[in-house]
Amino acid sequence: MINARLLFIENMSTAKEEIRKIGVDAVSIPWLSNKALFITMKIENVSTFAANIIKQEMLGKGGDVAVNRGVANFSISTSDILIMGTYSQYNKLIYKLEMQPGILKEIGEEIKRVLTGLDVGKPEYFECGKYKLPIGEKTYIMGILNVTPDSFYDGGKYNNIESAVKRAREMIENGADIIDVGGESTRPGHQPVEATEEINRVMPVIEVLAKEFNVPISVDTSKAIVAEKALKAGAHIVNDVWGLQKDAGMAEVVAKYGAGVVMMHNSDNCEYSDLMGDIIKFLRKSIEIAEKAGIRKENMVIDPGIGFGKNLDQNLEVMRRLKELSTLNLPVLLGTSRKSMIGNVLDLPVDERLEGTAATVTLGIAKGADFVRVHDVKEMARVVRMTDAMVRV
């Protein structure tokens, strides 16, 4: 019986493997795999002149380009464009564009940057201080330890050293790979905390954790002075909910100590011209800031910022489109634990959102998350192990 079925090929390694399994000559695999990988790429704010040329060039190579209807008659000045074609067709387009002057060459180089990322992928390791965590082998669990009186779920539970250390030990025994210590609530409507107060909250706990436990310690802060004190005390990662863009000194502090950094997207409002496009632009700026300060790719993780500057529909859209973050070629951290997105969908209070959290963790891993930040370590460790068994090869 003839049996036709669809294959979903999302990267070059999958393309090569499927072609190899057919039994073709080995020398043909690189040539055929370039045609097996179909890519749709969006480029924003392209001049009408450039859009017309790119469309004609791609049509001539067997691909296509979707443009605004006003491009054909030059009734608009710019347009977002969708390029659709195989890896091979893109390479031919890049060759032609890079031969041209000005904006066409610039667009060609941008397309080449994105395509190169498909081959290069994420760094092999996430490096944070003395720790070196392999990327791709498993999903890492970041246990949340809030030493605050007002965090939305566990505020006031662990705001003394004894209870905080006990909680950290429990999370590590249950499977936490990283402990994330926060001294200022970032819940909606939270009251800002002075740096001195934040330091007083996190420093004693971090000092003890760094001595007693052999796991990376993260400090959840957007203040450079707090980050530096924490790193001096033994922390290995800075988890910045403003992606190095709130405090101009943060990137230099991270670079100085060779720390890892989680750069999260954030916004003061929920207004976006293109949600994922704007998130990626924000994170690209964070990456540029990090690189200028001397932070290496191996020290970087990105976070789309679920629940930060996004309404319910936007949070759900980010979850659906999480794979688009692969454009940035960095490990991804996902923090959805017990958040209002889950409460709003299920109409449940914060203490009844365990199953909803599990659903988001599973989907997140399937869509490329490498780290998950959670309150319920024991339960989520089981979810992670099961999802990894299905998703990771």
Side-chain angles (χ1 to χ4, degrees):
M1 179 180 70
I2 295 173
N3 184 32
R5 60 192 174 94
L6 297 175
L7 294 181
F8 294 91
I9 295 175
E10 297 181 343
N11 53 59
M12 193 58 72
S13 62
T14 303
K16 290 178 179 178
E17 177 60 17
E18 290 296 338
I19 292 168
R20 184 196 64 76
K21 288 192 291 189
I22 294 297
V24 303
D25 289 335
V27 293
S28 300
I29 293 176
W31 177 67
L32 289 171
S33 60
N34 284 345
K35 299 182 177 183
L37 181 58
F38 190 89
I39 302 163
T40 302
M41 185 184 302
K42 184 174 185 178
I43 308 179
E44 301 171 355
N45 300 318
V46 177
S47 70
T48 303
F49 164 76
N52 273 301
I53 290 178
I54 292 169
K55 184 174 179 67
Q56 293 307 313
E57 287 290 344
M58 203 60 177
L59 284 170
K61 294 163 179 56
D64 211 336
V65 178
V67 299
N68 184 287
R69 65 179 66 90
V71 167
N73 61 9
F74 290 89
S75 61
I76 58 174
S77 58
T78 64
S79 171
D80 294 350
I81 65 175
L82 279 181
I83 308 178
M84 298 163 279
T86 65
Y87 189 91
S88 176
Q89 291 162 347
Y90 273 92
N91 279 326
K92 292 174 183 176
L93 175 65
I94 291 168
Y95 176 77
K96 290 295 293 287
L97 293 178
E98 288 190 330
M99 293 175 63
Q100 308 303 315
I103 189 63
L104 290 173
K105 182 177 182 180
E106 184 180 335
I107 293 171
E109 290 172 347
E110 179 66 1
I111 295 172
K112 186 176 183 179
R113 179 191 67 80
V114 175
L115 285 191
T116 300
L118 283 175
D119 294 329
V120 174
K122 299 173 183 178
E124 189 175 357
Y125 296 93
F126 172 53
E127 298 181 14
C128 47
K130 64 180 181 179
Y131 294 97
K132 194 174 180 180
L133 308 181
I135 296 300
E137 295 181 4
K138 60 171 283 188
T139 303
Y140 294 95
I141 298 172
M142 177 182 278
I144 300 169
L145 183 61
N146 288 319
V147 290
T148 57
D150 57 344
S151 290
F152 80 96
Y153 176 56
D154 54 4
K157 289 185 179 180
Y158 312 114
N159 57 351
N160 65 69
I161 295 177
E162 184 179 352
S163 62
V165 173
K166 181 181 178 182
R167 177 59 176 161
R169 180 177 290 106
E170 179 183 73
M171 289 195 289
I172 293 167
E173 290 173 352
N174 286 332
D177 302 290
I178 301 166
I179 300 297
D180 188 43
V181 182
E184 178 181 18
S185 172
T186 52
R187 65 186 296 174
H190 73 280
Q191 292 298 314
V193 173
E194 292 294 328
T196 302
E197 176 61 22
E198 192 176 344
I199 290 167
N200 290 338
R201 290 177 181 178
V202 302
M203 278 284 289
V205 175
I206 289 174
E207 286 174 347
V208 175
L209 297 184
K211 291 175 183 176
E212 290 202 15
F213 303 114
N214 188 30
V215 299
I217 307 301
S218 170
V219 59
D220 182 358
T221 186
S222 294
K223 301 182 183 76
I225 188 170
V226 177
E228 180 149 27
K229 293 284 187 181
L231 293 171
K232 278 184 179 179
H236 312 92
I237 301 167
V238 175
N239 183 10
D240 185 352
V241 298
W242 280 99
L244 306 180
Q245 297 185 41
K246 193 79 166 180
D247 188 327
M250 182 67 89
E252 289 184 8
V253 169
V254 173
K256 176 182 175 181
Y257 288 87
V261 62
V262 179
M263 300 174 290
M264 195 189 83
H265 170 267
N266 210 334
S267 175
D268 289 320
N269 57 61
C270 301
E271 297 175 8
Y272 301 94
S273 57
D274 180 289
L275 179 62
M276 289 305 294
D278 290 351
I279 288 172
I280 287 170
K281 276 191 285 190
F282 178 99
L283 292 173
R284 283 187 68 181
K285 182 178 178 182
S286 294
I287 293 165
E288 289 173 6
I289 291 169
E291 289 178 332
K292 285 180 182 178
I295 301 171
R296 300 163 57 240
K297 291 273 189 175
E298 288 79 6
N299 296 108
M300 302 181 200
V301 171
I302 53 173
D303 178 346
I306 296 294
F308 289 82
K310 303 168 189 70
N311 60 33
L312 174 60
D313 288 341
Q314 290 166 340
N315 284 318
L316 293 172
E317 182 178 350
V318 172
M319 290 298 302
R320 288 191 295 269
R321 299 174 63 185
L322 205 62
K323 278 187 178 179
E324 293 179 33
L325 293 177
S326 63
T327 299
L328 299 173
N329 299 114
L330 286 174
V332 174
L333 181 145
L334 183 67
T336 56
S337 185
R338 296 186 176 269
K339 286 188 174 177
S340 61
M341 173 182 71
I342 299 164
N344 290 333
V345 170
L346 300 180
D347 192 22
L348 291 173
V350 66
D351 59 346
E352 294 186 33
R353 299 174 186 173
L354 182 64
E355 298 89 348
T357 299
T360 62
V361 166
T362 300
L363 181 65
I365 295 169
K367 289 185 174 289
D370 304 280
F371 299 81
V372 291
R373 183 176 180 272
V374 299
H375 297 91
D376 308 284
V377 172
K378 181 178 180 180
E379 294 83 357
M380 291 309 114
R382 294 171 180 173
V383 171
V384 164
R385 287 203 307 274
M386 188 66 229
T387 308
D388 278 354
M390 297 183 288
V391 170
R392 301 188 187 277
V393 180

